[in-house]
Amino acid sequence: MSDGVTIGQAAAFVGVTVKTVRHYHKLGLVEEPERDGSGYRRYGSAELLRLVRVRTLAAAGVPLAEIGMLLDADAAVFAAALADVERQLTVRIEELAAQRDVLHRLVDGDRALLPDRAVALLERMPGLGLPPAEVAATREGWVLARALVPEGFDDYLGHVEHALDDPRFVALFKRGVEAMAWEPDDPRIDELVTSFVEHCLADPALLKIVTGLQARSETATRYRLVAHHGDDRGSAAGRLVSLVESKLRSAGVRVPGAG
């Protein structure tokens, strides 16, 4: 009776597949036993112990390319290498945890793309009388704004919080939402824009709603992408935005041009 076990038995004992054992042989991590008299390769205790060590290190996250060196290293080198692997695994764990958090936030679509502070403001808007379509449009604009002007987005949300605490601003904004259904040449648009601009000029903090998303670079391009997102330039909405910008410029407020 031959000593040792077959490759299939060795793989089963160690907890890997035969293909994995052969891969270890190919990488030189475990020497392939000589064939016995019957032509079979038999794995003895030394080979099995080596297989266990390789499998344990691989399962711990040690790259296969580094395992051979570790198995032949002295205790100090072995410990240092394992500490380095641990640091790498810690980083990977943190990355995976962040990815998991994003997946959890995807269950609540807004929270995957916007910070909790922005979501809270969006949730507040229906209670102020803003219609669902306007809240949805605001959400889209904020997602775009956060991507294009990330360095100013948190400050911008502070300006929005201030504006939503101002009943006059909210009333004018709601009137502006209604105006989007008017004809572009409706004379009420000019009156509304004048009232809105005068109110904002009286409270400089409110001006940040318009100017707060001006990027520190590529200002005009980024501003237009955010301010005119989804904007049909021939519509009342387009005229409203253009008139507000024009009147603010006339009052000396810096607003990127349409160039």
Side-chain angles (χ1 to χ4, degrees):
M1 183 175 178
S2 301
D3 292 331
V5 298
T6 64
I7 187 172
Q9 292 171 319
F13 290 163
V14 175
V16 296
T17 65
V18 169
K19 182 178 180 180
T20 297
V21 173
R22 289 187 172 133
H23 188 54
Y24 290 166
H25 290 325
K26 183 178 179 180
L27 295 177
L29 298 177
V30 179
E31 288 189 11
E32 197 170 13
E34 296 293 333
R35 296 184 185 277
D36 62 13
S38 60
Y40 290 98
R41 297 186 188 279
R42 297 285 176 175
Y43 291 74
S45 59
E47 289 84 11
L48 288 174
L49 179 59
R50 181 85 173 186
L51 279 172
V52 169
R53 287 174 173 167
V54 172
R55 186 259 297 163
T56 301
L57 288 170
V62 179
L64 291 179
E66 299 176 16
I67 287 178
M69 177 273 292
L70 281 180
L71 290 175
D72 299 326
D74 60 32
V77 172
F78 185 84
L82 288 188
D84 185 60
V85 171
E86 181 180 5
R87 284 191 294 270
Q88 295 176 34
L89 288 175
T90 299
V91 171
R92 183 59 181 149
I93 288 169
E94 291 172 352
E95 292 173 348
L96 290 172
Q99 293 173 358
R100 179 196 59 199
D101 290 343
V102 170
L103 287 176
H104 288 169
R105 291 169 74 89
L106 280 171
V107 176
D108 184 355
D110 289 346
R111 296 183 188 278
L113 299 171
L114 292 170
D116 291 341
R117 187 181 185 186
V119 174
L121 288 170
L122 290 170
E123 292 174 344
R124 181 182 172 190
M125 288 180 179
L128 295 173
L130 294 173
E134 180 59 27
V135 176
T138 299
R139 178 186 301 112
E140 289 186 354
W142 286 2
V143 170
L144 187 60
R146 189 190 187 200
L148 292 176
V149 198
E151 69 277 8
F153 189 66
D154 194 58
D155 287 342
Y156 172 75
L157 292 179
H159 306 322
V160 174
E161 289 169 344
H162 173 73
L164 294 185
D165 287 334
D166 182 338
R168 177 62 175 162
F169 181 93
V170 172
L172 287 168
F173 186 77
K174 287 165 61 177
R175 184 65 168 163
V177 173
E178 296 172 6
M180 292 180 188
W182 301 347
E183 292 298 323
D185 59 353
D186 192 311
R188 292 176 296 174
I189 291 178
D190 286 312
E191 298 172 7
L192 175 59
V193 167
T194 297
S195 296
F196 179 81
V197 169
E198 288 178 350
H199 186 65
C200 288
L201 290 173
D203 181 354
L206 293 177
L207 286 176
K208 297 294 186 179
I209 297 296
V210 177
T211 64
L213 288 178
Q214 295 179 19
R216 294 187 178 95
S217 62
E218 299 174 340
T219 300
T221 299
R222 295 193 196 187
Y223 172 81
R224 288 197 304 274
L225 284 169
V226 175
H228 301 288
H229 167 64
D231 184 11
D232 175 356
R233 303 309 293 158
S235 69
R239 185 158 182 253
L240 273 168
V241 173
S242 295
L243 281 174
V244 167
E245 292 175 343
S246 177
K247 287 183 179 294
L248 287 174
R249 289 192 195 98
S250 297
V253 177
R254 182 179 177 276
V255 179

